[in-house]
Amino acid sequence: MLTQGTLRAARYLDLLSMRQRVTASNIANADTPGYRTRALDFDSALDEAMQRPAKRPTFEPQVRELGGLAVKNDGNDVVLDRELRNLSETAIRFSHALLVMRGGIRQLRQAIQEGRGA
């Protein structure tokens, strides 16, 4: 009963939530010797999720070491400024996707109410 846009927004929210957890883990390990920054392959996961929004993804999005970052003396490569920027960007994207979801749910609710009045 939900629109394709609403289903896509739901998949997008799932991926953003996962991205937020990975970023939070990076921040939590910023002082852990030898820890390497991890990242969700967000674009690939999003492409896969958008191809079939009506179904729950059958794949597990890949989280892997990012690489290419400067490594500190303790072997850690977490850059807090980068991670905080990721948190902010993800929060903004999450807010926008919630607006889309709310709009779809509002339309469904209106359709149900109109059907009851007939």
Side-chain angles (χ1 to χ4, degrees), residues 40-105:
L40 171 68
D41 188 356
F42 189 80
D43 292 336
S44 296
L46 184 60
D47 287 344
E48 178 77 21
M50 293 301 116
Q51 289 176 15
R52 291 175 287 150
K55 294 187 175 196
R56 276 286 198 201
T58 57
F59 68 99
E60 182 65 30
Q62 296 298 309
V63 176
R64 55 189 143 101
E65 284 186 11
L66 187 58
L69 300 173
V71 179
K72 296 175 258 185
N73 290 339
D74 66 356
N76 186 304
D77 69 353
V78 175
V79 179
L80 281 176
D81 287 343
R82 179 188 177 284
E83 299 305 318
L84 293 174
R85 231 181 3 259
N86 281 345
L87 281 178
S88 294
E89 178 188 327
T90 303
I92 291 168
R93 288 179 178 212
F94 203 90
S95 293
H96 288 240
L98 278 177
L99 290 174
V100 171
M101 286 273 310
R102 286 180 185 149
I105 292 170

Side-chain angles (χ1 to χ4, degrees), residues 2-52:
L2 296 175
T3 67
Q4 288 293 312
T6 305
L7 292 171
R8 282 189 170 93
R11 299 292 83 76
Y12 187 62
L13 286 167
D14 290 342
L15 291 171
L16 287 171
S17 178
M18 179 178 267
R19 183 181 185 193
Q20 195 84 334
R21 285 191 304 274
V22 171
T23 302
S25 176
N26 288 337
I27 292 169
N29 286 288
D31 293 325
T32 303
Y35 182 84
R36 296 302 178 105
T37 301
R38 291 173 175 77
L40 171 68
D41 188 356
F42 189 80
D43 292 336
S44 296
L46 184 60
D47 287 344
E48 178 77 21
M50 293 301 116
Q51 289 176 15
R52 291 175 287 150

